[in-house]
Amino acid sequence: MNIELIRKVLATLLFIVSVVFMYFIFKQLDVESIKMSKNFLFAGLFLSLLFLFGLVFTKTTTTKIIYKENKEETEEDIKKESIEQIKKSATILSEKHILSILSNIEKHSYINKFAESLLIKFAQEFRVVQGITYVKNVKTNKFEVVATYALYGKKEKNIFETGIGINGQVALNKKIKIIKDIPEGYINVVSGLGSSSLGNMLIIPFVYNGETVALTEIASFEPFPDYINEIYNKINNKIAEKFNKLNS
Amino acid sequence: MNNIKYILIAGSAGSFKIITEIVEALPKNFPYAVILVLHRLRHIKQGFKEALSAKSEMEISEPFDKEKIELNRIYIAPANYHLFLEPDSTFALSIEEAVNHSRPAIDLSFSSAGKSLKDKVLGILLSGANKDGAVGLRHIKENGGKIIIQNPDDAVVRTMPDAGIKEIKPDKILSSKEIINFLLSLN
């Protein structure tokens, strides 16, 4: 609706009302009494106020309506802008993580050094507290530890087979698994990462030619980003290919 | 002191001021790896390194697991990890249980440094409110390294220096100013 039109109509109506009202007052008074009468002053003042009130009222109403419309538009715009910004930031961050993780992977000739450097990259990018990387032994078909992060002094080998245990399930399903809000002691049961309660765990299968060739489990006190799947989809091929090459 | 390459400086309550003064005083070309092992609040992971970096001419970082220790650099033990020094001059991290109610535990860093890097290690124990670090000092000394303890009378909290002196005779007992002057004299 045209707000300006409503304002003009209201102002005109109030003006007409005030003119009509003034006509009736003049009709009842002669010139002398007008000069003398205080009533005339009061009537004039009242009519002026009425006229002004009409203008102010319509102006205020209009401002309010316009402001409300602008406000609604602005909030909606801000929401849209925020979502766009978040998407843009996520993409930038995602690209940053991917670049960092994939940098220098070609320089490694030994599988354990490659796996170690990869864990350090994860630690740098996702504030990882602990991590283990397993590679599938081509002779036994079992996954064996090739690198650890912040597991000083823990010498036990955590070997697993495809389909057995949570790591085995991830290797079988070939999809990353995020476990949030891990209760104390749970990690000790399900993984090789030790006894501390770390909050969040991410298990990443590296899949080459349809087969999981390596698997990394990392734990963090902080939740992993929502766009972790996007990152995984972009790093899996190169990392899995490298693991496969170094393992053969 | 000729063989020294790695200087471990550790402290707890009351040590932040002297740590800041040391970091501020060390010149850009200080040819040692300086490793700070300080009891820190577990939930505060950021800010400490930045605060010290603002004061220092040397590069400061928190090491990652298996990172090579480089000279002419300051390292800070990351919050909530135990920090070990390995024979191949690398760091190792662990989140095993707290020792002396602390993680990082000074004893673990001192002991691993002493056993791994022998006479290349200088351990300095500052002000603190518990006994962490005392046993580690002994391991440094027994493996050929040198040890300095802040004079308890000069320390804000004397429990830690007192425990160190009780555990093993240090090579030097120095005030905070004397510790800074001694480090500068090594350059």
Side-chain angles (χ1 to χ4, degrees):
Chain A
M1 191 177 282
N2 192 331
I3 304 299
E4 191 59 24
L5 185 68
I6 296 170
R7 191 188 74 80
K8 280 178 181 171
V9 170
L10 279 173
T12 311
L13 278 174
L14 283 168
F15 180 72
I16 291 166
V17 168
S18 60
V19 169
V20 169
F21 196 55
M22 203 177 280
Y23 167 77
F24 281 112
I25 292 171
F26 273 103
K27 205 180 170 185
Q28 287 179 10
L29 298 171
D30 56 31
V31 175
E32 280 304 311
S33 61
I34 289 169
K35 280 181 182 172
M36 301 301 291
S37 175
K38 285 181 182 175
N39 287 340
F40 175 76
L41 287 172
F42 287 128
L45 192 63
F46 173 72
L47 287 171
S48 303
L49 283 172
L50 190 64
F51 188 72
L52 279 173
F53 174 75
L55 281 177
V56 170
F57 170 73
T58 51
K59 186 73 182 169
T60 309
T61 311
T62 310
T63 310
K64 273 183 184 171
I65 292 166
I66 291 167
Y67 172 70
K68 198 180 173 187
E69 280 195 349
N70 284 343
K71 197 181 172 189
E72 279 171 2
E73 280 176 12
T74 309
E75 279 176 359
E76 207 167 298
D77 285 347
I78 288 169
K79 271 183 193 171
K80 278 181 188 171
E81 271 178 33
S82 301
I83 292 166
E84 285 303 312
Q85 284 291 340
I86 289 166
K87 279 183 183 172
K88 213 179 272 182
S89 305
T91 309
I92 293 166
L93 277 173
S94 170
E95 291 299 324
K96 180 187 150 288
H97 290 316
I98 291 162
L99 279 175
S100 169
I101 292 165
L102 294 181
S103 65
N104 297 326
I105 68 167
E106 292 306 323
K107 78 173 186 184
H108 295 286
S109 311
Y110 297 99
I111 198 162
N112 58 338
K113 287 290 170 195
F114 171 60
E116 271 176 15
S117 74
L118 200 59
L119 283 173
I120 290 172
K121 294 281 184 192
F122 281 127
Q124 286 170 332
E125 295 302 312
F126 304 118
R127 295 187 171 277
V128 165
V129 178
Q130 275 190 326
I132 299 184
T133 294
Y134 308 83
V135 167
K136 193 174 186 178
N137 185 320
V138 288
K139 290 176 186 168
T140 63
N141 273 338
K142 289 178 180 173
F143 286 83
E144 296 170 1
V145 177
V146 286
T148 61
Y149 186 85
L151 276 165
Y152 183 79
K154 286 184 82 69
K155 300 293 181 195
E156 68 262 42
K157 294 283 181 189
N158 299 285
I159 296 170
F160 67 89
E161 291 177 51
T162 304
I164 310 287
I166 194 162
N167 286 342
Q169 284 295 317
V170 173
L172 183 68
N173 295 332
K174 303 178 189 80
K175 285 181 182 171
I176 62 168
K177 185 166 186 63
I178 300 171
I179 305 169
K180 294 177 183 173
D181 305 321
I182 304 164
E184 197 162 348
Y186 185 68
I187 289 182
N188 202 27
V189 179
V190 299
S191 84
L193 283 182
S195 56
S196 299
S197 177
L198 295 169
N200 301 281
M201 199 162 81
L202 176 65
I203 307 175
I204 313 164
F206 293 108
V207 183
Y208 182 74
N209 279 347
E211 192 187 340
T212 302
V213 293
L215 182 140
T216 291
E217 56 177 316
I218 50 180
S220 174
F221 290 115
E222 294 169 26
F224 293 101
D226 295 333
Y227 48 85
I228 195 74
N229 269 301
E230 189 187 331
I231 294 172
Y232 170 70
N233 290 334
K234 289 184 178 173
I235 63 171
N236 172 59
N237 281 347
K238 284 193 175 176
I239 293 173
E241 189 182 357
K242 182 78 178 179
F243 270 123
N244 186 64
K245 187 182 167 187
L246 295 176
N247 198 30
S248 54
Chain B
M1 300 275 177
N2 289 340
N3 295 329
I4 300 297
K5 282 187 176 177
Y6 308 99
I7 301 172
L8 282 84
I9 305 173
S12 187
S15 66
F16 185 73
K17 186 172 177 285
I18 177 174
I19 287 287
T20 310
E21 287 168 356
I22 289 170
V23 162
E24 202 168 4
L26 295 180
K28 197 174 182 177
N29 61 350
F30 194 65
Y32 302 89
V34 179
I35 298 140
L36 307 176
V37 186
L38 305 165
H39 292 166
R40 296 163 61 180
L41 294 173
R42 287 182 187 185
H43 59 282
I44 300 174
K45 294 185 174 64
Q46 287 178 311
F48 188 56
K49 186 191 85 178
E50 289 74 10
L52 289 181
S53 292
K55 301 264 183 188
S56 176
E57 289 184 8
M58 291 176 73
E59 199 168 337
I60 300 182
S61 64
E62 290 185 350
F64 290 99
D65 192 35
K66 301 179 182 67
E67 184 174 330
K68 187 86 180 161
I69 306 171
E70 289 178 16
L71 304 181
N72 184 218
R73 200 181 170 106
I74 298 173
Y75 296 95
I76 306 171
N80 221 4
Y81 282 103
H82 292 307
L83 180 75
F84 300 87
L85 283 78
E86 296 279 79
D88 60 354
S89 299
T90 59
F91 289 108
L93 299 177
S94 151
I95 57 162
E96 293 300 298
E97 290 303 306
V99 175
N100 299 321
H101 310 288
S102 308
R103 192 168 63 196
I106 299 166
D107 270 339
L108 295 185
S109 298
F110 275 179
S111 295
S112 64
K115 288 171 185 172
S116 299
L117 303 166
K118 315 284 182 191
D119 62 348
K120 297 187 185 75
V121 176
L122 167 64
I124 301 175
L125 190 64
L126 305 172
S127 167
N130 71 6
K131 295 177 179 177
D132 192 21
V135 173
L137 281 180
R138 182 157 54 79
H139 289 148
I140 292 176
K141 182 107 186 197
E142 284 175 356
N143 284 282
K146 302 291 181 193
I147 56 173
I148 295 172
I149 297 177
Q150 185 179 8
N151 189 333
D153 294 334
D154 179 63
V156 176
V157 183
R158 61 181 297 149
T159 311
M160 202 175 263
D162 275 338
I165 292 166
K166 195 177 171 187
E167 179 73 26
I168 183 134
K169 189 179 177 219
D171 294 293
K172 290 177 190 293
I173 297 175
L174 302 174
S175 69
S176 56
K177 279 185 183 174
E178 287 167 337
I179 289 171
I180 292 168
N181 289 334
F182 173 78
L183 289 173
L184 293 175
S185 74
L186 292 175
N187 194 20

